[in-house]
């Protein structure tokens, strides 16, 4: 569940893409407070009404990177870190995810992207 280390090319938490996704503030709050958040590329969307985890579910590397930088890991990150299943120092090595949660909110709400 923790194989992904960098945000994927169309991750909503990747710098430059928040303005494209424009997730509503309420949805961003849900994601930030969720116990876990699976990468959209590993979700099985074949049933439109009830997506499932898929064969090889992975946690979203972009979100994990932002939460780690903020010092606010979600529950699954804390558990994985204790079990030594999540090397936090390996997350987002090229710094492709937003630096702060404020950057995430600003990019999604106002389309204002931080400079790299």
């Amino acid at each position: 569940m923790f194989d992904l280390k960098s945000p994927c090319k169309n991750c909503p938490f990747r710098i430059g893409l928040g303005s494209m996704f424009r997730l509503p503030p309420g949805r961003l709050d849900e994601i930030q407070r969720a116990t876990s958040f699976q990468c959209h590329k590993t979700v099985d969307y074949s049933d439109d009404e009830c997506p499932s985890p898929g064969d090889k579910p992975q946690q979203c590397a972009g979100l994990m990177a932002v939460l780690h930088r903020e010092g606010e890991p979600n529950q699954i990150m804390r558990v994985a870190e204790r079990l030594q299943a999540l090397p936090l120092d390996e997350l987002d090595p090229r710094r492709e995810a937003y630096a702060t949660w404020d950057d995430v909110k600003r990019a999604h709400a106002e389309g204002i992207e931080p400079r790299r």
Side-chain angles (χ1 to χ4, degrees):
M1 290 183 64
F2 301 99
D3 294 334
L4 302 177
K5 303 297 185 236
S6 297
C8 60
K9 296 292 180 197
N10 55 351
C11 177
F13 303 101
R14 183 184 180 100
I15 295 171
L17 296 184
S19 57
M20 180 180 81
F21 282 94
R22 295 208 174 215
L23 295 174
R27 179 64 181 135
L28 288 173
D29 289 343
E30 288 173 358
I31 292 169
Q32 184 184 25
R33 290 191 305 261
T35 58
S36 65
F37 186 72
Q38 186 174 338
C39 172
H40 67 279
K41 288 190 172 184
T42 67
V43 174
D44 178 359
Y45 291 103
S46 60
D47 182 349
D48 290 337
E49 291 183 25
C50 188
S52 65
D55 295 336
K56 294 186 178 187
Q58 295 290 317
Q59 291 300 298
C60 174
L63 176 64
M64 287 194 301
V66 177
L67 294 177
H68 174 59
R69 287 187 194 116
E70 289 283 306
E72 297 290 334
N74 60 25
Q75 183 177 4
I76 201 163
M77 289 172 67
R78 291 190 303 268
V79 170
E81 184 180 19
R82 285 185 197 114
L83 296 174
Q84 298 179 344
L86 176 60
L88 293 170
D89 59 330
E90 294 178 14
L91 280 175
D92 196 19
R94 294 182 299 277
R95 313 262 318 154
E96 297 169 298
Y98 291 107
T100 69
W101 195 254
D102 282 342
D103 288 343
V104 170
K105 292 190 301 187
R106 207 171 9 264
H108 281 265
E110 303 165 14
I112 298 172
E113 294 289 348
R115 294 179 188 231
R116 285 194 118 204

